[in-house]
Amino acid sequence: MKHKSLRLGFDVSMDKGATLKPLKVQFWSQESNFKKFAPTAPFKYMSDALVGLSLVKLNSYIKSPLATPHLDYSFAVEAWKALDPHVELYERSQKRVRSLQSHLAVVDPKLCAQFEDHFNESFESAMTPWGVDLTALGPLLETFSWFENKMEAPLLYNFGLNFSKPFVEKLHTLYSFLYNLRSLVAVDHNAHIEDASHEGVKVDAITDYLPRAEYVVNDALLYYNFKKFSEPFSGPRTPDPRVEKLFAAPMEKSFQKYSYNAVQLVNNLPKPFMSSLNPVELEEAFYLVQIDWLLGSPAALLFKIREEIFALQNGYEKIFWKDVEPKHHSKPVALHLSCEVTEKMVHGTKAA
């Protein structure tokens, strides 16, 4: 019996800068390209395969056999689901996210549906018959801003969002594409430096988006206790309003200014959930809830996609790689990627 396999070939065009900035990803349509660049096994963490596979899922043009003669679409979808670890992490974490959501007010479903429409319209304008124009993803940032304004709440630590199943699948795929695209740039960057321990860049699915989760825990504990002990100032037993003016209001402003993430975390969690825990349990819960939100909520998928698009626009060194000594590239670069995904890789990953 013949085993399935999939040959992926595409170019990543990048602009010069402190770190290379991807501009477009273009699938190969000419047989000569496949002959010139023989397919190899995917990189260790599958970043090249996942960029190609996720773009296959995202781009309706590429489904055509005429556009990509080497493509088995159904196998590409199967391979992406098996090789990308974030989908399974999402499903594990979302059970706990949903249990929290059952105690919270959810965002208006009509508004969520309206956002889906706006998002899809902006996103499709970046898709082309040859791949994706990454510079055309910029308008999605305006769509995010519109949505937050309509919700009157940020995406950060938001547990109240629900979208349709196809849309969540699209968000998973887009995040996979953007995250692994950055991984490809990291691989290329690290291949051209002398000392990876000092000059290398890395990608991390947690600290890239929540870089100081443990510090947020400490601030959240302080803010939670402040709120708990200052509740009488805003309740029916309010004493002298001068006490509110001199103490509670200025403290609240300070927390909002200097501990924004902690304020959002506490304010987005159900009060019964927090009050039911002792101090040690609460400290652990504040940390775990952040990770569950990041790995298992629709809001975090949007949050991470927005961060990746910001970085595409402004340069990865401005958002993710701030501490690394930049290497200036004086001219544009194109990466030529050619890899083969086999049935053994896919089913072997599932079995593991």
Side-chain angles (χ1 to χ4, degrees):
M1 185 177 72
K2 186 178 179 182
H3 292 287
K4 291 181 181 179
S5 66
L6 181 66
R7 291 171 63 188
L8 295 166
F10 55 92
D11 296 331
V12 181
S13 301
M14 299 190 286
D15 200 4
K16 60 186 178 181
T19 58
L20 291 170
K21 183 190 299 184
L23 298 174
K24 64 181 180 179
V25 179
Q26 185 169 1
F27 268 96
W28 296 348
S29 58
Q30 302 296 324
E31 183 65 31
S32 58
N33 286 328
F34 287 94
K35 291 179 179 178
K36 186 177 180 181
F37 301 100
T40 61
F43 295 155
K44 181 179 179 181
Y45 295 106
M46 301 285 175
S47 54
D48 50 347
L50 286 168
V51 166
L53 293 170
S54 54
L55 186 52
V56 167
K57 285 191 66 191
L58 290 167
N59 190 317
S60 57
Y61 296 104
I62 294 172
K63 295 178 186 178
S64 167
L66 297 176
T68 46
H70 294 280
L71 181 66
D72 178 339
Y73 180 76
S74 61
F75 180 62
V77 172
E78 181 186 1
W80 176 82
K81 287 182 178 178
L83 297 176
D84 193 304
H86 296 114
V87 178
E88 185 177 346
L89 288 172
Y90 181 89
E91 290 172 355
R92 287 183 189 174
S93 300
Q94 205 191 35
K95 294 176 183 177
R96 294 185 291 273
V97 169
R98 286 196 178 279
S99 68
L100 275 176
Q101 190 182 78
S102 64
H103 300 282
L104 295 165
V106 297
V107 176
D108 183 357
K110 291 182 180 178
L111 178 59
C112 291
Q114 196 176 1
F115 171 73
E116 287 189 30
D117 291 339
H118 289 333
F119 185 99
N120 288 331
E121 184 178 347
S122 294
F123 176 75
E124 289 304 322
S125 67
M127 294 296 115
T128 71
W130 44 260
V132 58
D133 177 3
L134 297 167
T135 63
L137 292 175
L140 282 175
L141 297 177
E142 298 173 13
T143 306
F144 287 126
S145 296
W146 171 87
F147 190 42
E148 285 187 321
N149 288 334
K150 287 290 185 179
M151 286 194 298
E152 298 182 342
L155 293 170
L156 183 66
Y157 302 132
N158 191 318
F159 293 92
L161 287 183
N162 290 305
F163 297 114
S164 67
K165 190 173 181 180
F167 187 68
V168 172
E169 179 84 1
K170 174 180 276 191
L171 295 181
H172 276 302
T173 312
L174 178 56
Y175 171 62
S176 177
F177 172 75
L178 295 172
Y179 177 81
N180 286 290
L181 179 65
R182 179 159 58 91
S183 299
L184 288 181
V185 177
V187 169
D188 180 71
H189 178 93
N190 292 341
H192 294 90
I193 57 177
E194 294 182 8
D195 187 349
S197 63
H198 291 279
E199 302 172 61
V201 297
K202 66 183 182 69
V203 294
D204 187 286
I206 292 178
T207 58
D208 284 347
Y209 311 105
L210 295 178
R212 295 179 177 86
E214 64 278 10
Y215 290 96
V216 174
V217 170
N218 295 333
D219 290 344
L221 288 169
L222 287 172
Y223 181 66
Y224 173 71
N225 285 312
F226 158 72
K227 292 285 284 185
K228 186 167 65 172
F229 291 120
S230 64
E231 277 178 359
F233 296 134
S234 57
R237 293 184 292 112
T238 299
D240 193 327
R242 289 174 295 181
V243 177
E244 167 77 14
K245 183 178 179 181
L246 291 172
F247 173 69
M251 284 290 288
E252 179 71 35
K253 286 183 179 179
S254 294
F255 274 112
Q256 292 280 356
K257 182 176 181 180
Y258 298 109
S259 304
Y260 177 79
N261 283 21
V263 170
Q264 291 303 318
L265 179 61
V266 172
N267 288 344
N268 277 291
L269 290 174
K271 286 184 179 180
F273 167 77
M274 292 183 285
S275 61
S276 67
L277 303 173
N278 65 44
V280 175
E281 293 171 334
L282 187 60
E283 181 176 357
E284 183 180 8
F286 277 151
Y287 181 80
L288 294 176
V289 160
Q290 290 184 78
I291 305 304
D292 283 338
W293 172 82
L294 183 68
L295 297 179
S297 74
L301 279 173
L302 293 178
F303 182 88
K304 292 185 287 188
I305 288 168
R306 182 173 62 182
E307 290 292 288
E308 295 289 349
I309 296 175
F310 270 133
L312 278 177
Q313 281 200 329
N314 301 300
Y316 289 131
E317 73 280 0
K318 299 285 179 63
I319 307 297
F320 296 111
W321 301 332
K322 297 176 183 177
D323 298 332
V324 174
E325 186 69 29
K327 176 174 179 161
H328 189 81
H329 300 265
S330 58
K331 60 181 181 180
V333 173
L335 298 180
H336 308 289
L337 284 306
S338 178
C339 66
E340 184 172 18
V341 178
T342 65
E343 198 169 21
K344 184 179 179 181
M345 291 177 194
V346 173
H347 293 153
T349 303
K350 280 184 174 180

